[in-house]
Amino acid sequence: MSETAAVIGMGLMGCDISAIFLAGGWTVAAQEPATESWPAKRERVRLSLAQLGADPALEAGLTLFAAIGDLPFADCACVIEAAPERMELKRQVFAALDRLVPVGIPIGSNASGYRITEIARDCATKSRMCNLHFFLPAHLVPGVEVVKGEATEDEVVDRFFAIMESLGRMPIRVSRDEPGFLANRIQHALMREAFSCIDSGLATAEDVDRAVRYCFGFRYLAAGPILQKELAGLETQLAAAATIYPSLNTSPEPSPGLAKLVAEDRLGPKTGRGYRDWPPEKTAAERARYERVLAAAQPLLRDEV
């Protein structure tokens, strides 16, 4: 008999997280209040299953519910919250889960910027709650951060870690509930410098993207930054750091150029303009290319995950 996961929220993340469980032989009970969107949600799950190389018909193992109180939590092995990134909403969801989910069932939040310590602050069972942070698109990015909150029991982290491994994911333990967890702390250090390079006129947005994708970023598929530098020799890293670090951006404030774009509602494809123009046909083509490349990379890592 297959195990069941509960997923709260069926946006892109919720759909793709559901596909991961379905592809792994689980059934999924998911909550999505907008019932008129259910056919589109099911179609996204089928697409994600196909991109994973799984049978799209596994989507039949997904049951949708409009109300959170209707989910069969007692039959679930774990619960994952994937509601929109609004703190008050997530606190409301966790307050409901605190009451509705039987004690002993672990609960994870896919929040990317909010600490589980704050989300679950007023929950009586906060010890069984942690961050379980997937990266968009969740089904095509193997890594999942399992973040221990200030009240989280080690056993909860261990259980989610084991579940993610069983599903072919690459779980990453994060031992403290720091803002940004682990991956986003590293990523945002890179983004601060990337935006600074654009602001200062050193390079265009297009050339920044090329430098990352086709130079050092290309190597990250085979080795993380620490392993790559060890393979090259740490003395080389030390010498380069001494030369480069004094000129790197260390501002505690976000990029002025980025702030200006956001103030002008130039948010990227969702508003039609960002650093580039984003007509609908270009957006559709670029999203399809992006997911196609990520899907093509899956076989290269399959033996390592």
Side-chain angles (χ1 to χ4, degrees):
M1 184 176 177
S2 64
E3 293 194 273
T4 299
V7 176
I8 310 302
M10 286 293 282
L12 275 180
M13 292 300 283
C15 288
D16 293 344
I17 291 168
S18 296
I20 292 168
F21 280 93
L22 293 167
W26 289 49
T27 57
V28 174
Q31 187 247 349
E32 173 51 59
T35 56
E36 70 279 3
S37 72
W38 285 6
K41 304 303 183 185
R42 289 188 174 279
E43 183 56 36
R44 173 66 193 194
V45 171
R46 285 193 290 269
L47 172 62
S48 299
L49 284 165
Q51 290 177 325
L52 282 170
D55 185 352
L58 290 171
E59 173 265 328
L62 168 67
T63 305
L64 291 166
F65 298 84
I68 193 170
D70 292 339
L71 272 74
F73 290 118
D75 299 327
C76 295
C78 65
V79 179
I80 301 170
E81 170 271 315
E85 194 81 355
R86 300 196 301 272
M87 175 61 88
E88 192 51 42
L89 174 61
K90 289 186 181 292
R91 281 184 174 156
Q92 290 172 5
V93 170
F94 266 75
L97 296 175
D98 191 31
R99 298 190 310 270
L100 296 169
V101 181
V103 174
I105 297 174
I107 303 173
S109 173
N110 186 50
S112 60
Y114 298 136
R115 301 165 64 235
I116 191 62
T117 301
E118 295 303 319
I119 295 172
R121 181 185 62 195
D122 300 322
C123 294
T125 64
K126 63 181 69 144
S127 62
R128 46 91 174 253
M129 300 171 178
C130 71
N131 277 103
L132 190 69
H133 181 218
F134 295 79
F135 294 80
L136 190 68
H139 63 305
L140 297 179
V141 179
V144 184
E145 293 180 304
V146 188
V147 186
K148 186 178 187 297
E150 292 176 11
T152 309
E153 294 178 351
D154 290 338
E155 179 189 357
V156 173
V157 174
D158 293 342
R159 287 172 70 185
F160 268 125
F161 196 96
I163 290 170
M164 290 298 104
E165 279 194 320
S166 74
L167 293 171
R169 302 290 99 187
M170 181 62 78
I172 301 149
R173 292 181 193 269
V174 184
S175 60
R176 287 199 313 275
D177 196 7
E178 298 282 356
F181 315 140
L182 174 60
N184 271 338
R185 292 181 72 84
I186 298 169
Q187 178 178 222
H188 277 268
L190 181 152
M191 292 308 305
R192 176 167 61 185
E193 188 61 31
F195 286 127
S196 177
C197 288
I198 298 170
D199 289 346
S200 71
L202 182 64
T204 64
E206 290 78 8
D207 282 321
V208 167
D209 283 344
R210 288 181 179 183
V212 174
R213 287 189 65 201
Y214 298 107
C215 297
F216 67 90
F218 189 80
R219 302 184 300 210
Y220 285 167
L221 187 63
I226 308 304
L227 174 58
Q228 196 279 320
K229 294 307 179 185
E230 285 190 298
L231 293 174
L234 291 177
E235 78 285 358
T236 303
Q237 169 63 21
L238 179 63
T243 301
I244 298 169
Y245 282 14
S247 66
L248 292 179
N249 185 297
T250 59
S251 171
E253 301 296 328
S255 152
L258 173 63
K260 182 174 184 293
L261 288 181
V262 172
E264 295 172 353
D265 203 35
R266 292 173 59 180
L267 309 180
K270 65 172 64 175
T271 59
R273 292 186 70 198
Y275 282 100
R276 300 160 252 244
D277 289 334
W278 287 102
E281 63 276 10
K282 178 180 177 181
T283 296
E286 192 59 25
R287 288 196 191 281
R289 183 204 63 79
Y290 176 61
E291 293 195 355
R292 187 171 62 249
V293 171
L294 291 176
Q298 300 299 307
L300 297 176
L301 296 176
R302 196 159 287 146
D303 292 339
E304 299 185 27
V305 175

